[in-house]
Amino acid sequence: MYLLELGGEDDVFAACEAASAATGVRRIAPGLAVADAVVPERVRGLAYTHRASRLLGRTDADVASARALLEAAALEREGSVAVRATDVHGSAGVSTTDAERTLGSVLVDRGFTVDLDDPDHVLRAVFAEGRLESGGALAADEATGDLVTPLEESDDPDSSGDGDGPADVTAVGDRSRGERVSVCALGWLEAESVRDFGDRAPTDKPFFQPGSMDPLLARAVANVAGAQPGRTVLDPMCGTGGVLVEAGLVGADVVGTDAQGKMVRGARENLRHFLERDDPSPTGVPRGSWHVGRGDATRLPLADDAADAVVFDAPYGRQSKIDTHRLEDLVSGALAQARRVASRAVVIADRSWAAEAGDAGWTLEAAFERRVHRSLTRYVLVLE
Ligand SMILES: C[S@@+](CC[C@H](N)C(=O)[O-])C[C@H]1O[C@@H](n2cnc3c(N)ncnc32)[C@H](O)[C@@H]1O
């Protein structure tokens, strides 16, 4: 079994993304989940999971319990070690220095040498306390439009946000307060996600327009859509190409259309910059191929089943001038076309669009909601 250290504010959304790199993901404490198996190369490309470790065991969130757990655990490794402890959001009130020292001495007693700079193995000791929210993604028949799960803002201090100013993340809807848990989980570090999102802040890209998507959210929705080598991801309203860049960096072949020539040229510039490189991708997979053309999302110039997944960030009523369509017609038309060309979709918007998705033949697999600021809440719908 594996331990997943989640990032951001919304563990339910993080767990949903983690399921693109792991099987049997379940949350066990704030900021923590376990999984039956992980694909380490895919963990490297996750936005809202920081690390996956091979779980040694779990106990209560205090150093004495962690020590007892480690003394009794089957370690099955040799070589040098370092212990790295984290107290998730400071929730357990544990001294991580004390934890590292105490657990390090257990490992020394058990025959390991300590090498803090270049260890053969890293033991993660993660402490977390708090309520394990039972709220989750809504099933389709619950999808009334009042969808539910608050989606996190960027957790990387160096990422630029999405151009909408400072985030005010609040829970929306009636999410139940779950049971209180106190967990210390110990595990051998297996894979870490590459935290290079700050290098792709929208304002630092060769082509920038207001409304460009933050790379963390773009990566997460690309992963939820199933972006990976051998898959084709289409963004029919690609704008600056924010989602396509992230999907391409985890190896998917990407296709974009946009109604505006300026966006098509800009997206090409960004995709050329980030995907046409000789050096290996930071996530370790070959970058995907890309194609961007001018097109109307409601009349896509693509064959049926041309893509594996569609992701789009619908224009926001307040920011987009749409010459040819009412916003409702645009989104409904795009959802119907998405259904024709792919069997999975992720839609990001300033309202739910769940009813329109149902009308277009989609089943709602999950829905998440994030309040960006007073006048903007972002919805993410996962459609099958
Ligand atoms: C919210 S922006 C997408 C932003 C994008 N995710 C990014 O990171 O830059 C919506 C885009 O939809 C495009 N758009 C509007 N109507 C369209 C249509 N009928 N067909 C295709 N694209 C359209 C706009 O030109 C705009 O670039």
Side-chain angles (χ1 to χ4, degrees), residues 21-325:
T23 55
V25 178
R26 19 319 140 204
R27 291 174 298 117
I28 58 165
L32 290 184
V34 291
D36 296 330
V38 299
V39 182
E41 310 83 69
R42 294 200 44 72
V43 171
R44 279 196 275 284
L46 292 176
Y48 294 125
T49 294
H50 289 263
R51 293 172 205 88
S53 303
R54 180 126 205 174
L55 189 68
L56 275 176
R58 52 200 247 220
T59 182
D60 294 338
D62 61 78
V63 175
S65 300
R67 180 192 180 108
L69 173 63
L70 189 59
E71 283 171 342
L75 297 178
E76 293 165 357
R77 299 206 173 197
E78 290 177 354
S80 61
V81 291
V83 180
R84 308 232 201 276
T86 301
D87 181 359
V88 177
H89 307 313
S91 58
V94 165
S95 159
T96 52
T97 319
D98 181 28
E100 287 172 356
R101 211 176 287 129
T102 303
L103 298 176
S105 71
V106 172
L107 291 176
V108 169
D109 290 348
R110 295 194 61 179
F112 290 91
T113 54
V114 170
D115 181 346
L116 296 181
D117 297 324
D118 187 23
D120 296 322
H121 311 288
V122 170
L123 182 76
R124 295 289 306 165
V126 189
F127 299 84
E129 263 184 30
R131 292 200 182 274
L132 186 60
E133 287 181 336
S134 57
L138 283 186
D141 56 357
E142 296 172 271
T144 59
D146 290 333
L147 302 177
V148 283
T149 301
L151 179 62
E152 70 265 44
E153 257 304 331
S154 159
D155 65 343
D156 275 11
D158 55 352
S159 115
S160 75
D162 57 11
D164 289 308
D168 170 16
V169 180
T170 50
V172 184
D174 182 20
R175 199 167 181 191
S176 87
R177 311 268 298 152
E179 57 167 324
R180 224 187 142 70
V181 293
S182 167
V183 172
C184 167
L186 300 181
W188 295 115
L189 181 63
E190 192 87 15
E192 293 186 273
S193 57
V194 180
R195 312 309 297 170
D196 63 351
F197 299 99
D199 300 347
R200 294 185 299 284
T203 45
D204 295 342
K205 286 181 176 167
F207 176 73
F208 166 71
Q209 286 286 297
S212 303
M213 195 185 283
D214 165 59
L216 267 170
L217 179 60
R219 173 66 64 80
V221 292
N223 282 329
V224 170
Q228 59 177 278
R231 300 245 177 103
T232 300
V233 173
L234 164 71
D235 183 344
M237 303 188 210
C238 69
T240 64
V243 171
L244 299 179
V245 166
E246 298 305 320
L249 288 174
V250 294
D253 297 319
V254 298
V255 179
T257 60
D258 200 285
Q260 297 186 62
K262 176 175 87 166
M263 292 297 188
V264 170
R265 286 189 294 279
R268 284 181 177 151
E269 201 180 339
N270 284 343
L271 287 160
R272 199 172 294 122
H273 180 80
F274 289 107
L275 298 185
E276 281 186 20
R277 300 214 183 168
D278 295 331
D279 58 323
S281 148
T283 57
V285 296
R287 295 174 177 82
S289 66
W290 62 269
H291 299 274
V292 176
R294 191 160 175 183
D296 181 344
T298 66
R299 285 184 295 140
L300 283 175
L302 294 168
D304 294 358
D305 302 316
D308 295 290
V310 169
V311 181
F312 68 86
D313 186 15
Y316 299 170
R318 67 185 179 84
Q319 70 172 197
S320 298
K321 248 182 127 161
I322 302 148
D323 299 335
T324 50
H325 305 278

